[in-house]
Amino acid sequence: MKYVNVIFLKYLLLLVLTQTLHAEPARFFYSQLPPYEQTNADGHADGIGIKAVTSVLNDAGFTAIFELYSIQRGLAALQGDIDFTTIVAPSAALQSEFVLSKLPVYLIKLGVLRLSTTEKLADLSSLQQHDYVSLRATEFAYLPDTFALPTEFFAKQYKVDSLDDALRLIAHERYAYFLSYYLSRQELKYPFLVFDELLTLPVYLAMSKAHPKMEEMMLRIDTAMAKR
């Protein structure tokens, strides 16, 4: 019986190794967007979204290769040698250029960061009445079309390069609100800062329609996600 178990374990190990060796590499671009997408202290892609994407790609028979780009450079790279990325609440313009997974790969929370003593906003549209901060690398261009917000929504937006810059501006009361995706207590750093969730948005895997293997690869993604 012990001999049979050893053979069975060897068979399982061989099966796992065979599947790993035959997994097709898939290149995915990400940007610094903690806690969803970020580079950890070891220099590797990490975060809530990265884990979700890795799981889906593995289920579809791919091995994820993560590459860090800015939003603009990454979207351009999708026309070349990058296979996948994720898009939040894709606009009509993005849907005309990229094919999306039929199901969202995960959900993302959008809201504002403020001091605990600052008035809580009733909804997203009321943000346009205030000067507010956002990260330069984080795009919210889909908001006016998706949620019928006026183009003036961005008139009082001030962009900064880093999360630390944004947190300092809020902590020192230079700005009342920081428009951002969800930030955990670990990212907030200051105990007197709070994050108010205003919207929950779907995040889809995306490929360029010009990708030579778009139909085949996205079919594998949709099939894997439908089995979950």
Side-chain angles (χ1 to χ4, degrees):
M1 179 62 71
K2 184 180 294 185
Y3 177 72
V4 173
N5 287 338
V6 170
I7 293 178
F8 181 68
L9 288 173
K10 287 183 176 180
Y11 170 77
L12 285 179
L13 180 60
L14 179 62
L15 181 62
V16 170
L17 289 173
T18 301
Q19 290 176 339
T20 302
L21 289 173
H22 285 84
E24 180 182 347
R27 299 179 69 186
F28 179 97
F29 102 73
Y30 73 100
S31 299
Q32 293 288 11
L33 186 63
Y36 295 97
E37 299 179 359
Q38 62 202 55
T39 303
N40 62 23
D42 296 326
H44 300 132
D46 199 1
I48 298 169
I50 294 295
K51 289 180 173 63
V53 167
T54 300
S55 178
V56 169
L57 290 178
N58 287 348
D59 287 351
F62 297 110
T63 297
I65 300 173
F66 293 102
E67 302 191 24
L68 178 66
Y69 289 104
S70 67
I71 298 292
Q72 293 77 13
R73 284 191 60 209
L75 291 177
L78 279 168
Q79 307 298 335
D81 55 1
I82 294 293
D83 300 307
F84 293 100
T85 192
T86 47
I87 295 179
V88 182
S91 64
L94 287 174
Q95 291 184 52
S96 68
E97 188 175 356
F98 301 100
V99 63
L100 309 171
S101 57
K102 291 182 179 178
L103 297 172
V105 64
Y106 63 94
L107 299 176
I108 196 169
K109 298 175 182 178
L110 176 66
V112 293
L113 185 75
R114 61 179 173 88
L115 291 173
S116 57
T117 53
T118 299
E119 180 183 3
K120 183 176 181 178
L121 296 177
D123 51 42
L124 185 63
S125 63
S126 58
L127 181 62
Q128 70 192 42
Q129 302 169 21
H130 305 272
D131 293 332
Y132 65 94
V133 181
S134 72
L135 292 181
R136 198 177 308 281
T138 306
E139 297 288 341
F140 301 107
Y142 59 86
L143 288 177
D145 291 338
T146 307
F147 299 100
L149 296 172
T151 54
E152 293 79 12
F153 180 80
F154 296 116
K156 296 186 176 183
Q157 182 184 47
Y158 176 69
K159 295 198 172 193
V160 295
D161 292 322
S162 72
L163 178 59
D164 285 341
D165 290 339
L167 296 181
R168 279 194 295 270
L169 288 172
I170 301 299
H172 296 157
E173 301 185 67
R174 296 285 300 278
Y175 288 85
Y177 302 101
F178 168 35
L179 178 64
S180 173
Y181 294 116
Y182 168 74
L183 294 168
S184 68
R185 177 48 56 187
Q186 181 179 358
E187 276 87 36
L188 294 185
K189 298 180 181 179
Y190 300 95
F192 44 83
L193 295 179
V194 294
F195 179 85
D196 297 324
E197 178 186 345
L198 297 175
L199 294 170
T200 299
L201 302 169
V203 181
Y204 296 89
L205 275 174
M207 295 185 73
S208 168
K209 289 184 176 181
H211 193 291
K213 298 177 68 176
M214 178 271 293
E215 292 186 2
E216 173 197 334
M217 294 177 77
M218 193 56 81
L219 177 60
R220 288 166 61 179
I221 293 294
D222 288 334
T223 301
M225 293 180 72
K227 292 179 179 178
R228 293 179 157 222

